[in-house]
Amino acid sequence: MFDESFNSTTKSKQLDLHVRFWSNGYVQSRYMGSHFMGHGTAQDLLKLIKEALHQLDRSRLVSVSMDGPNVNWKLMDLLQHDHAEKYGGAQLVSVGSCGLHTLHNAFRAGFSMWHVDKILKAMHTLFHNVPARREDYVQVTKSILFPKPFCGHRWLENLPVVERALAAWPSLMLYVNAVFKKQLPNPKTASFDTIEAALKDPLIIAKMHFFMTVARTFHPFMKKYQTDEPVMPFLGKVLAELIKSLLRRCIKREVLMDITPLQLTKLDLADKNLLLLPQRVDISLGAESTLKDSKIAELKVLEFRRDCMQGLSNIVRKVQKKSPLKYATVRQMECLDPSLMFRDPDKCKNQMKSLVQTFLKDKQLTGGVPAGRNSFERGYEPKFEYHAKLFSDLY
């Protein structure tokens, strides 16, 4: 595993390397070190990674984990070519880039049209490190609930931010009205101007509710898979269900019946025949309640619903583009899920055979076909019988 980012202290790029391996019956991780550099091209990264791994037997390298910038994909191409040259055509198993980074970027793509980030940033900035303004706010509103800072590069971590923004919005309106009545000094800042403009938007609360609801859809996945534990066998199923939960808000139900994970990645959201009517789009209970309590023109409400539909479509398209579900290995790894072994044993055995064939094709199993047969018959099948029996005893 590697990650390359800017180090603000050294003013250089920092490449961190970790190795995961199987030892004594467990998957273990070790920090291999960090390298600091000015240039960070794919060739530069490849050179540093090869130097860092010189003490290890690279012929036993199975796969490389990374996030999704273009330079990393270029690095993977170079690494695959170098690995094949040195080890008789062997290929590293590809499972795509980090699914968490993909989801952060996808979520951002769904809300770029409303500039919600600009509003949430302005709410925090207005009172951040300004004691006099904070005192005025508390005196006028009788509240000590202040907006939280917005994270611009990990959008899905902003669920507490938008929850606090909705809680603090009535107090913020009191503060702004006090400024308009000249009971308080006008801050005359860009953040105050942003908030003033947002107050004129009758749909701003509905937009925040929709933002919050979609963020909550992602929250269980982000909490479970932001971990060092080996969770690949469960990733495909849970990610597919996450995509379906987003699509159910704007896609006809019959489209999603019996759809496979691979088909989900190929679903054409530009096909209007798949979409619900704007009036039937699920925009969340909070947003629906806000619209009912307001006196917003029907045309504005319809436009808002279309924006919600477009936002959901943008999110899913981004997820589809770099989804781990596009990789056969990710889908086949589901055969190591004990609950699936119990529910659908034949499917598990077929997936394991396909997985072994993938490793044979990539020359990842020394010994060729006989080794692959042994991996299945002596390794997988006994464990399969054990886990199937364990679940049958439990349920």
Side-chain angles (χ1 to χ4, degrees):
M1 296 183 288
F2 73 92
D3 183 57
E4 181 262 325
S5 58
F6 179 72
N7 186 308
S8 58
T9 302
T10 63
K11 306 300 180 185
S12 62
K13 294 177 181 177
Q14 178 176 333
L15 174 68
D16 297 324
L17 289 164
H18 298 257
V19 173
R20 304 191 79 180
F21 56 95
W22 181 265
S23 178
N24 299 323
Y26 295 94
V27 175
Q28 302 192 38
S29 299
R30 294 291 184 274
Y31 168 67
M32 288 294 293
S34 297
H35 294 267
F36 299 92
M37 54 193 171
H39 294 281
T41 66
Q43 289 80 4
D44 296 325
L45 295 175
L46 177 63
K47 179 183 176 182
L48 291 173
I49 289 174
K50 289 169 68 175
E51 289 176 358
L53 300 180
H54 75 279
Q55 294 180 333
L56 303 179
D57 181 3
R58 283 177 52 210
S59 67
R60 304 185 69 178
L61 183 63
V62 176
S63 184
V64 174
S65 300
M66 61 179 188
D67 53 5
N70 291 334
V71 65
N72 288 354
W73 288 104
K74 175 63 175 176
L75 168 63
M76 276 300 300
D77 290 339
L78 295 175
L79 196 57
Q80 288 280 32
H81 182 72
D82 180 78
H83 198 76
E85 278 191 345
K86 289 187 181 307
Y87 305 110
Q91 290 288 288
L92 301 174
V93 177
S94 181
V95 293
S97 60
C98 173
L100 300 183
H101 284 78
T102 300
L103 296 183
H104 282 299
N105 294 334
F107 184 73
R108 177 174 60 188
F111 291 94
S112 57
M113 70 283 193
W114 289 337
H115 305 291
V116 176
D117 56 322
K118 185 178 179 181
I119 297 168
L120 294 175
K121 287 177 182 176
M123 289 178 66
H124 174 256
T125 303
L126 183 63
F127 302 103
H128 183 58
N129 290 338
V130 189
R133 206 173 293 159
R134 291 173 72 90
E135 182 179 323
D136 291 342
Y137 175 88
V138 172
Q139 287 181 348
V140 168
T141 66
K142 311 302 180 188
S143 170
I144 57 172
L145 206 64
F146 286 93
K148 292 185 175 182
F150 183 89
C151 180
H153 60 282
R154 293 183 179 177
W155 274 52
L156 286 169
E157 293 186 2
N158 291 306
L159 176 57
V161 179
V162 71
E163 289 174 339
R164 175 61 62 85
L166 283 167
W169 192 259
S171 297
L172 190 64
M173 291 180 66
L174 290 175
Y175 174 84
V176 173
N177 287 333
V179 171
F180 289 160
K181 294 175 181 178
K182 297 184 179 180
Q183 296 172 356
L184 296 175
N186 191 324
K188 295 182 180 179
T189 62
S191 56
F192 183 81
D193 293 341
T194 299
I195 293 170
E196 184 181 351
L199 286 171
K200 296 176 183 178
D201 180 2
L203 291 165
I204 185 60
I205 298 299
K207 290 175 181 178
M208 286 190 185
H209 272 291
F210 184 66
F211 183 103
M212 179 175 66
T213 297
V214 178
R216 283 177 175 169
T217 304
F218 284 91
H219 184 68
F221 182 92
M222 301 299 292
K223 185 177 180 180
K224 182 175 181 179
Y225 288 92
Q226 198 158 344
T227 176
D228 286 332
E229 296 178 2
V231 291
M232 182 68 76
F234 316 102
L235 176 64
K237 175 186 173 183
V238 178
L239 183 56
E241 186 53 42
L242 172 62
I243 296 173
K244 286 181 184 179
S245 66
L246 293 169
L247 290 174
R248 289 189 191 104
R249 294 183 177 275
C250 62
I251 294 288
K252 295 174 181 177
R253 291 277 174 166
E254 56 267 25
V255 176
L256 301 177
M257 290 182 63
D258 301 321
I259 193 170
T260 66
L262 183 59
Q263 289 171 338
L264 276 175
T265 66
K266 299 179 179 180
L267 196 64
D268 183 11
L269 297 178
D271 185 354
K272 294 184 179 179
N273 293 322
L274 306 180
L275 303 176
L276 294 171
L277 294 173
Q279 295 88 339
R280 297 183 60 192
V281 174
D282 184 357
I283 60 174
S284 81
L285 291 174
E288 291 282 9
S289 177
T290 301
L291 294 178
K292 286 180 181 179
D293 294 340
S294 63
K295 298 179 180 179
I296 305 172
E298 289 187 12
L299 190 59
K300 279 279 187 184
V301 172
L302 186 62
E303 184 181 343
F304 169 69
R305 290 181 177 275
R306 284 175 177 159
D307 283 346
C308 292
M309 183 184 294
Q310 187 60 51
L312 290 167
S313 298
N314 290 343
I315 291 172
V316 175
R317 283 195 192 98
K318 278 284 187 179
V319 175
Q320 286 175 322
K321 187 176 179 181
K322 292 185 177 181
S323 175
L325 292 176
K326 296 171 71 173
Y327 296 86
T329 302
V330 174
R331 301 192 303 273
Q332 294 160 358
M333 285 285 285
E334 186 183 24
C335 67
L336 298 177
D337 180 352
S339 64
L340 187 63
M341 292 180 184
F342 172 65
R343 293 196 314 273
D344 198 342
D346 292 335
K347 178 181 179 180
C348 280
K349 290 181 180 180
N350 289 332
Q351 286 180 326
M352 175 51 75
K353 288 177 182 178
S354 298
L355 197 58
V356 171
Q357 288 170 356
T358 299
F359 275 71
L360 285 171
K361 178 184 175 183
D362 292 340
K363 298 184 179 181
Q364 286 285 354
L365 287 176
T366 55
V369 175
R373 188 180 299 113
N374 288 337
S375 296
F376 179 77
E377 294 176 354
R378 297 184 182 179
Y380 179 72
E381 284 203 320
K383 291 182 175 62
F384 170 86
E385 299 296 342
Y386 167 75
H387 287 297
K389 183 178 185 305
L390 176 64
F391 268 75
S392 66
D393 292 342
L394 288 173
Y395 299 102

